[in-house]
Amino acid sequence: MGMDGGGGGGGGKLPYSYAGVGHQDGKLVKSFSRVEPRKFGMGLVAGFLLVTCAYFSTAKFDAIHIAMDLGVQDRNALSKEGSRAEVLEKDDGNASSSGPDSGRNAPLEDTRRDETFVGGSGDAGAGVDASSAAATNPAGEGEVPAKDDDATAAVLPPVSLEEAANGTQESGVLEDAELQFQEAVAELPSKKSNDSAAAAAASGNGSNSPTVVHSDPAILPAPVQQIPPAIQEVKALADQQIPAVPEVKQADSETPAREWKPLCDLTSNRRIDWCELDGDVRVLGANASVTLVAPPAADARTFREESWRIKPYPRKADPNAMRNVRVVTVRSVSAGAPACTDRHDDVPALVFSDRGYTGNYFHAYTDVILPLFLTARRYAGEVLLLVTDLQMWWVGKFLPVFKSISNYEPVDLDHDPRVHCFRHVQVGLTNHDDFSIDPRRAPNGYSMLDFTKFMRTTYGLPRDVAWPAAANATAGRSRPRLLLIARARTRRFVNTDEIVRGAEKVGFEVAVSEGEHEVAPFAELANSCDAIMGVHGAGLTNMVFVPTGGVVIQVVPLGGLEFVAGYFRGPSRDMGLRYLEYRITPEESTLIDQYPRDHVIFTDPEGVKNKGWESLKDAYLDKQDVRLDMRRFRPTLKKAMAHLRKAKADDAN
C-alpha cells in the first residue's frame, strides 16, 4: 500500500524491498537501490567493449607473428628447394625450368618480393638473392639492385594511407583484413609457382629481359596485393618489348668491309701478271679497259684509285712472246666509268690473250689450254671468256675445249663495242709452270691427272687405263700398242722402219703418225695406244690423251738439251705415266754428217748454248735428225714392255 503511494509522490527511493529482511540487511538493499538501472546497463556494455578490444588486439598481434613465422618457414623452404635444384642441376646437367625446383629461374620481381617479405632471414635470403641474380642476369647485363638493410620495413607489409585513416575501424572489418592477410601468406608459394610458369612462357616467346625492380621496399607492392589480370598482361607485354641490351646486327660484326688491296699482282708469279676485281666491274673492249667503280660507302680504307697496264699472257719474261700481246688497262675510279650495256651479274669473266707462242702445239697447251682449265674449270661452265688478240683459226682448232670450259661463245674483245658489267673479273689466267699444275695452289686441288681426265672427256675418248686385261681381251688385242711420232721437218727419225721392227720384236704393236691440224683424230689415235715415243718436240704433248698407266719415251737430241727435256719429264709423271728418257750419242745424230768430230758442236755444247737461245736452236734443234742405234735403244723398249705387262698382271689380279 505504502509502495503504491510512495511511488506516486517521491520518485521511488526504494524501488526493491524484501519482506523479512533485518535492519542491517536493509542497508545493503538501500546501497543497491541507489544505482540507477540505466547507468548499470551502460557500464556492462562498456566493460564488454573493453574486453572485446583487448581480445582482438591480442589476436592481431598473434596474427602478425604467425605471418612472420610462416614467411620465415616459406623462405627457408624456398632456400632449401633452391639448394636442391642446384644439386640436381650439378648432378643431372639439365635442371628443368618447369618443375617444382625451378625457383632459381623465377622472374627477378617475384624473387625480390620474397626477399622483401623475409628480409630478416639471414643467409637464406642471401642465397636466394644470388641465385635469382644468376638466373635473371647470366651475362651481367643490367644492374642488380642492392639489398635493403631495413629489417623492420622488410618484415612488415607497407601500410596504405587508407588503412592509416581507418585505424579505429570496427573489429569485424579488422578481422576480415587479418584473414585476408593470412590467406595471402598461405597462398604465396602457389602464387610464386604460377608467376614462375608465366615467366617461363614469356621467355619462350623471346623475352629474356630482366624486370626493373626498385630497391626501396616502401614502393614495393605488399605481398597480399593482387594485381589485376589485365595489368599483368600489359606488364608481361612491356617486359617482352624492352630488350636487355641493344641488338647488334651480325653483318656489322661478322662481315666488315674488306680492306683495300692492290688490283694487280706483278711480283708473285714469274710467268704472268694478273689482276682480280670484285664489285661493279665494267669491261670495254674498244679501248681494252677493265674498270672497277667505287661503291657508295667507300672510304680511304676500303677503296683507292689505281691504274695498271697488263699483258694477259704467261710469258712476261720473254719479249719475243709478249711483242704482239695487247695491253689491257686495269683501273679503279670513283666516277667517270662507262655505262653498262650488257650485265652479267651471275657470271664471272676471264680476260686473256691467245697470241704469243700459241701457234706451237706445246705452247697452245702450256700457255692457254692448261691455264684455262686451271682457272675456269671450277665455274662448271658459268664463266664468260673475253679474248684479246683473238685468232679464230686457233679457237676453232681447240673448239671442243672452249665448249667444255664455258657455256658461252668466246668474246672477241678487240672488236666488241659493248660495255660488259660483272661482279667478278680476272685479267690473266692462273699459271703455275710449263705444262704443270701444283695441286697445293690449284683451285679445288686440281692436278695433272684431273687435266688429262678433262681432256679425254672433252674429246670423248674411251680409254682411261692403259692395256687393261679385260678390255684387250674384248678387243682381240694380245699386245700393247706403241705410237711412234714421225716429224716432217726437223728432229726426224731417219730409220723409222728399223725402229718399228725393233719395237715389234720386243712385243709392241706399232702405229706411226705425224699428226695433223685437227686435234680430235690424233687424240683418238693416242688414246688407242699404251705407249708414246718421239724425239723431243711438241708432238709429245699428245701424251695428255694416253691412258693412265701408259709409257712415255722421250729421245733427247745431242747438244745438252736435258733441261728442255724437263718440259715432259715431270708432267708425264704427274699424269700417271711411266717416263723413260733416251739420250743419243754423237754417232746417232745427223750432225756427225755435217761437222768433224772435233767441232765445238760436239766438244763444247755449253759454249754454243751460252751464246743464246737462237744459237742453240739453230745448231741442235733445226739442223739435227736422229738415227737410233737399235742395239743400244732395245733395253729402253724392254723396260716399257715390262712396265705394261706388270700393269696388266696387277689389273688381272
Side-chain angles (χ1 to χ4, degrees), residues 301-541:
R301 184 179 67 88
T302 60
F303 188 86
R304 298 175 189 171
E305 292 194 348
E306 298 178 351
S307 181
W308 307 76
R309 290 171 58 83
I310 302 297
K311 287 189 174 184
Y313 184 80
R315 294 277 169 185
K316 67 178 183 180
D318 187 342
N320 188 50
M322 304 299 285
R323 182 182 307 154
N324 296 319
V325 177
R326 188 182 187 191
V327 173
V328 176
T329 301
V330 179
R331 58 178 183 158
S332 54
V333 299
S334 299
C340 298
T341 60
D342 293 69
R343 289 191 171 275
H344 314 273
D345 291 337
D346 299 327
V347 180
L350 299 177
V351 180
F352 63 95
S353 172
D354 71 345
R355 195 59 64 95
Y357 291 146
T358 55
N360 177 279
Y361 191 69
F362 171 78
H363 285 282
Y365 278 85
T366 193
D367 295 353
V368 177
I369 302 300
L370 180 56
L372 192 58
F373 164 83
L374 186 60
T375 311
R377 182 60 176 170
R378 56 179 165 169
Y379 297 118
E382 287 302 306
V383 61
L384 191 59
L385 307 180
L386 308 179
V387 187
T388 66
D389 313 307
L390 180 67
Q391 304 176 90
M392 289 304 301
W393 69 267
W394 186 86
V395 173
K397 180 175 182 177
F398 295 99
L399 191 59
V401 174
F402 283 92
K403 287 186 175 180
S404 296
I405 288 290
S406 174
N407 297 331
Y408 310 93
E409 293 290 332
V411 175
D412 184 357
L413 197 60
D414 297 344
H415 301 92
D416 192 342
R418 296 173 293 177
V419 178
H420 298 272
C421 294
F422 304 88
R423 304 302 300 173
H424 176 83
V425 174
Q426 180 171 328
V427 180
L429 301 176
T430 303
N431 194 289
H432 294 163
D433 207 343
D434 284 316
F435 210 30
S436 180
I437 294 176
D438 183 354
R440 298 168 298 180
R441 300 159 55 196
N444 300 325
Y446 289 138
S447 67
M448 289 300 287
L449 281 173
D450 296 311
F451 177 63
T452 57
K453 183 177 180 180
F454 164 75
M455 293 301 295
R456 289 195 295 265
T457 302
T458 296
Y459 286 95
L461 305 179
R463 301 178 71 226
D464 291 329
V465 180
W467 206 32
N472 290 333
T474 302
R477 288 178 52 190
S478 59
R479 296 189 296 172
R481 198 175 192 188
L482 172 65
L483 173 61
L484 180 62
I485 299 176
R487 297 175 60 90
R489 291 180 295 275
T490 63
R491 283 164 282 150
R492 300 173 301 163
F493 286 119
V494 296
N495 60 336
T496 302
D497 294 340
E498 186 181 0
I499 297 172
V500 171
R501 289 193 300 269
E504 290 176 341
K505 288 181 180 179
V506 172
F508 281 103
E509 177 184 324
V510 183
V512 181
S513 178
E514 182 183 350
E516 51 189 283
H517 176 76
E518 295 294 329
V519 177
F522 202 79
E524 293 176 2
L525 176 61
N527 185 250
S528 70
C529 296
D530 306 292
I532 186 172
M533 169 185 167
V535 180
H536 170 79
L540 285 174
T541 308

Side-chain angles (χ1 to χ4, degrees), residues 209-275:
S209 304
T211 306
V212 179
V213 180
H214 298 282
S215 60
D216 187 358
I219 61 176
L220 284 172
V224 298
Q225 183 177 353
Q226 300 292 331
I227 302 176
I231 298 178
Q232 290 180 348
E233 294 176 0
V234 173
K235 184 176 182 303
L237 181 61
D239 291 344
Q240 296 177 20
Q241 293 177 347
I242 301 176
V245 295
E247 295 183 359
V248 179
K249 295 181 179 179
Q250 294 184 355
D252 295 338
S253 59
E254 296 182 3
T255 56
R258 187 175 62 179
E259 290 190 11
W260 178 260
K261 68 175 184 178
L263 297 176
C264 299
D265 184 346
L266 309 185
T267 59
S268 66
N269 194 311
R270 64 181 179 83
R271 297 178 54 81
I272 189 169
D273 297 331
W274 63 283
C275 311

Side-chain angles (χ1 to χ4, degrees), residues 555-604:
V555 177
V556 181
L558 195 66
L561 297 177
E562 291 78 13
F563 75 98
V564 294
Y567 291 144
F568 300 108
R569 184 186 302 124
S572 63
R573 294 167 179 168
D574 293 340
M575 295 176 189
L577 303 174
R578 173 67 188 275
Y579 176 79
L580 299 174
E581 186 172 296
Y582 180 81
R583 301 177 185 178
I584 68 172
T585 63
E587 286 70 26
E588 294 176 286
S589 171
T590 58
L591 293 177
I592 199 69
D593 301 330
Q594 304 174 41
Y595 301 96
R597 188 67 176 82
D598 58 352
H599 195 278
V600 293
I601 285 183
F602 300 111
T603 61
D604 189 15

